[in-house]
Amino acid sequence: LRSSSLSLPRASSLQGGVRLSGFRASRRSRATTTRAGLDADSMNSLMALLMGDKSALVTKEKALPGRASKMEVPEKHFVTGNTMEQPFPSNLEHCVFGSGCFWGSEKAAWRMPGVWSSSVGYAGGFTPNPTYEEVCSGQTGHTEVYQVVWDPEIVGFADILRIFWQSHDPTQGMRQGNDSGTQYRSALFPATPEQHKLVLASKEAYQGALSKAGFGAITTEIGEPGATEYYFAEGYHQQYLAKPGSRPYCSAQPTGVAMPEYAGGECKLPEKYFEKYGAAAGVHDRLPERASPDGRAQVTTYFIIMNE
């Protein structure tokens, strides 16, 4: 598992030290299991028995117990200098989002004009005050999330929702790109009934656009207003990509489908902002297919730090 060192590889798709997710892992599995005399289905069943099924949510009864003590986080946001913990100034709004690996997702949020603060954490599960390692085990029920705090006079909730929907593939279920497990599921946890209403409207609009483009049903988990508790992640995860020595990684796979117009979805930021920072502009990029040492093709999805 990843330690607090900023230069170490992300351990988000590891369980018991074995990376199972993604195109490359499946190709390797087929090669090794054939030599071992096991077919892919048999090996998948064996691995599920040994390591648990990370595609299924743990039940409340089987979830890890957690702890009463809260995670300690820095007093100030590394980029904005504002506080990350409530109470926030009364003129601000906040909401919690999940779109896979939270490193790159948080960066997409904090650089938006009008965003006062942001943070990363865990939500949607059962274990109180979980650790990163516990969340990665799949035994807490939580998904990686980020909280955004913004000034509605400068940036609208519709702007943030547009970035959210367009910056990942919300149809992938219990994974996002090469990051596999319930802790990478897409999620939205609105704070107010007004936010909840706009979330549902935006989902319906984006589903229509995705369906026309050949994608399946949106699997994003949507919580009831103010009903989901947000637990902060460790301090070394906060604003990770802004810190010296950070490793620019994210496995998000945006669809390239634009958010269409819908009632209440008018954005406050100019279209040029979305042209610069939208997924199609290169915030996320898929590296070209390349050959592995054994001659088979590999496709790697990588978060590219562009358009600074």
Side-chain angles (χ1 to χ4, degrees), residues 4-290:
S4 59
S5 172
L6 295 179
S7 60
L8 290 179
R10 182 174 175 80
S12 54
S13 294
L14 297 174
Q15 186 177 2
V18 180
R19 185 179 182 92
L20 296 177
S21 63
F23 181 85
R24 289 172 292 171
S26 63
R27 293 300 294 267
R28 287 197 300 271
S29 296
R30 283 195 288 272
T32 56
T33 55
T34 298
R35 289 195 295 269
L38 293 175
D39 60 24
D41 290 339
S42 298
M43 178 56 74
N44 287 339
S45 298
L46 176 61
M47 296 305 288
L49 286 172
L50 293 175
M51 306 180 70
D53 183 4
K54 294 185 72 179
S55 66
L57 278 170
V58 68
T59 63
K60 184 177 182 179
E61 293 72 25
K62 294 184 178 180
L64 295 173
R67 57 202 50 80
S69 57
K70 295 183 177 181
M71 189 73 68
E72 293 186 6
V73 295
E75 182 179 353
K76 302 292 185 180
H77 192 282
F78 189 81
V79 177
T80 69
N82 297 319
T83 59
M84 294 188 291
E85 297 187 75
Q86 297 193 48
F88 303 124
S90 60
N91 65 308
L92 304 180
E93 297 183 17
H94 66 278
C95 184
V96 172
F97 308 79
S99 53
C101 165
F102 49 25
W103 286 349
S105 299
E106 188 195 9
K107 178 176 180 177
W110 83 55
R111 66 183 173 190
M112 295 185 75
V115 168
W116 192 80
S117 182
S118 64
S119 62
V120 295
Y122 315 113
F126 308 106
T127 302
N129 301 296
T131 65
Y132 174 71
E133 290 77 12
E134 289 173 341
V135 172
C136 284
S137 76
Q139 300 305 301
T140 69
H142 291 298
T143 187
E144 289 193 13
V145 294
Y146 58 103
Q147 179 172 254
V148 185
V149 185
W150 71 93
D151 184 343
E153 293 296 319
I154 301 174
V155 62
F157 189 40
D159 296 89
I160 302 172
L161 284 173
R162 180 174 175 182
I163 289 293
F164 166 78
W165 289 118
Q166 292 185 191
S167 65
H168 76 300
D169 183 349
T171 72
Q172 290 193 3
M174 301 300 182
R175 67 179 306 118
Q176 188 59 213
N178 282 340
D179 286 336
S180 178
T182 58
Q183 72 270 31
Y184 298 110
R185 67 187 187 274
S186 176
L188 265 167
F189 301 114
T192 66
E194 292 77 19
Q195 287 182 5
H196 187 257
K197 182 178 179 180
L198 196 61
V199 165
L200 295 179
S202 67
K203 176 190 174 183
E204 182 179 2
Y206 203 52
Q207 181 66 77
L210 288 173
S211 297
K212 289 181 180 179
F215 288 87
I218 288 175
T219 59
T220 302
E221 176 182 345
I222 298 176
E224 293 299 316
T228 305
E229 186 150 6
Y230 171 70
Y231 298 102
F232 283 95
E234 292 79 351
Y236 67 90
H237 284 303
Q238 307 298 332
Q239 299 85 61
Y240 174 82
L241 291 180
K243 297 173 181 176
S246 64
R247 175 173 172 259
Y249 169 89
C250 187
S251 197
Q253 290 185 324
T255 63
V257 177
M259 170 63 76
E261 294 182 0
Y262 63 97
E266 298 78 15
C267 292
K268 291 189 175 183
L269 298 181
E271 193 62 28
K272 287 185 178 181
Y273 180 86
F274 298 99
E275 292 174 359
K276 182 177 182 180
Y277 291 114
V283 175
H284 300 72
D285 192 21
R286 175 170 289 186
L287 296 181
E289 188 168 274
R290 61 186 182 184

